[in-house]
Amino acid sequence: MNFDKRSVWLDVAKGITIILMVLGHSSIPDGLSRFIYAFHMPLFFISSGWVTNFSKYNIVDFILHKARTLLLPFIIYSAFVLASINYLDKCSFALWIKTGWGGYALWFIPVLYFALVISQFIYKLENRGIRLTILFIILVGAAVLSYNKIVLPWNLASVPYAIVFIMIGAELNKFQNKVVIARPGALVALTLVTLLISMKWRLDMAWNNITPIIPITIGAISGTILVYMISAFVDQKLPICSRMFQSIGRETYLILALSQIVIIYLNEMFSLSGIVKYSLLVLILVALKFIKDLINRILPIKLL
């Protein structure tokens, strides 16, 4: 199996995790929700570090490249979501400018952008020992922010912890053949570690609730590796499921941006059972994907 093909098993992992993210925001049992929260956002940061080639660009080009691929679609999706919540909740545009997305899933994008840019500066340092020292200092800084409940606009208090996961992803990539190969004993151990930690402590990166930071970080890494192993197995043994999860994983941005808003509208307009509601969610997201692809084909540059 070729583990270097990012577009295969890693997209499977993202597809599985974005489904879990949507479920995590639904009315599922608290224990299952805590288990999903233990790793679902860390996995996306770790995956970003895994696939980012920090040596490919200079700092200025990197900043501009990430602005085009992350911030430009973020502005477009945000305009759509802002119009929707203004209609439903009369949310103030000025408040959004000041505070950002708060609990809406789009909080992830600005945090990812700034975390990647700072990580790029760190990876320009050639000494690995210095990089790891900086990583430890950032980890301590993230814990201090969380312990003192320091809240910054646009969820930016979460940036230090996001940097930690991005750098962990970049380091894990060096051991991908060991990380990704699924072994029964490892799967059981990783599941138990993640489950036990999530039962004791709840991770919520949106609000930087990340303490005690050492066990929570261990739980996030173990849960991420667990999903990676399952994804590699699915890609190797279940090709039909693999293609389905790959398709979902490649639409992470759209699902992240719009799934909550669709659910809000469905709850506001109809009284539906869970199965019907989430079936409609899937159909609406598929329709939005085709609209997005059509827009990208019409316009001279890819915006979404």
Side-chain angles (χ1 to χ4, degrees):
M1 181 177 178
N2 184 3
F3 293 125
D4 293 327
K5 291 177 64 179
R6 173 263 175 194
S7 61
V8 181
W9 69 266
L10 192 52
D11 279 332
V12 173
K14 290 168 62 180
I16 291 172
T17 307
I18 200 68
I19 293 172
L20 292 177
M21 187 207 79
V22 174
L23 290 176
H25 288 86
S26 66
S27 301
I28 60 174
D30 182 65
L32 181 56
S33 174
R34 293 172 72 95
F35 180 78
I36 293 170
Y37 266 73
F39 62 84
H40 78 290
M41 294 315 298
L43 182 142
F44 288 114
F45 288 111
I46 290 172
S47 298
S48 294
W50 184 292
V51 301
T52 300
N53 185 348
F54 290 103
S55 63
K56 182 177 180 179
Y57 300 96
N58 61 46
I59 289 174
V60 173
D61 288 343
F62 186 85
I63 290 171
L64 295 175
H65 172 69
K66 291 302 176 183
R68 183 181 65 80
T69 57
L70 288 176
L71 295 187
L72 181 58
F74 170 76
I75 292 169
I76 296 170
Y77 280 123
S78 293
F80 182 86
V81 173
L82 186 62
S84 301
I85 61 175
N86 268 333
Y87 173 76
L88 289 173
D89 300 329
K90 309 304 180 187
C91 178
S92 166
F93 179 77
L95 181 65
W96 173 76
I97 292 293
K98 181 180 179 181
T99 62
W101 278 121
Y104 285 89
L106 274 171
W107 71 266
F108 169 79
I109 302 301
V111 171
L112 175 62
Y113 175 76
F114 286 109
L116 281 169
V117 168
I118 295 170
S119 298
Q120 171 73 354
F121 278 93
I122 295 170
Y123 272 97
K124 288 303 179 185
L125 302 172
E126 296 184 359
N127 189 302
R128 188 168 182 268
I130 294 176
R131 293 202 303 267
L132 293 177
T133 301
I134 293 173
L135 176 63
F136 176 76
I137 293 170
I138 292 173
L139 182 68
V140 172
V144 169
L145 288 171
S146 179
Y147 181 79
N148 291 285
K149 301 187 184 304
I150 296 173
V151 177
L152 299 176
W154 289 88
N155 302 76
L156 293 182
S158 300
V159 169
Y161 202 42
I163 294 169
V164 170
F165 284 127
I166 286 170
M167 295 183 66
I168 287 172
E171 296 301 316
L172 283 177
N173 189 338
K174 300 173 184 177
F175 306 98
Q176 56 181 308
N177 288 332
K178 295 181 179 179
V179 168
V180 176
I181 296 175
R183 297 174 293 275
L187 291 172
V188 172
L190 291 167
T191 301
L192 288 175
V193 167
T194 308
L195 180 62
L196 291 173
I197 290 174
S198 68
M199 290 171 60
K200 179 69 175 177
W201 301 285
R202 185 182 181 93
L203 168 65
D204 191 343
M205 284 194 70
W207 303 107
N208 203 37
N209 294 326
I210 59 173
T211 51
I213 200 165
I214 298 302
I216 278 181
T217 302
I218 291 171
I221 295 171
S222 64
T224 296
I225 295 175
L226 172 66
V227 175
Y228 281 176
M229 286 184 175
I230 293 171
S231 301
F233 175 82
V234 168
D235 178 56
Q236 188 176 25
K237 302 294 186 180
L238 304 169
I240 295 175
C241 292
S242 175
R243 287 193 292 272
M244 179 188 72
F245 285 123
Q246 285 176 57
S247 298
I248 296 170
R250 289 167 185 156
E251 298 300 331
T252 298
Y253 209 139
L254 181 143
I255 298 170
L256 186 79
L258 302 181
S259 60
Q260 283 177 292
I261 294 300
V262 173
I263 289 295
I264 289 172
Y265 268 93
L266 290 176
N267 287 336
E268 182 78 12
M269 299 171 66
F270 306 104
S271 178
L272 301 170
S273 67
I275 294 175
V276 174
K277 179 167 60 178
Y278 284 96
S279 297
L280 282 174
L281 172 64
V282 171
L283 293 174
I284 292 168
L285 289 175
V286 169
L288 290 172
K289 177 202 179 308
F290 281 109
I291 294 171
K292 182 206 75 169
D293 291 343
L294 178 62
I295 292 171
N296 283 331
R297 284 196 297 267
I298 294 172
L299 296 176
I301 60 172
K302 183 177 180 180
L303 295 180
L304 299 172

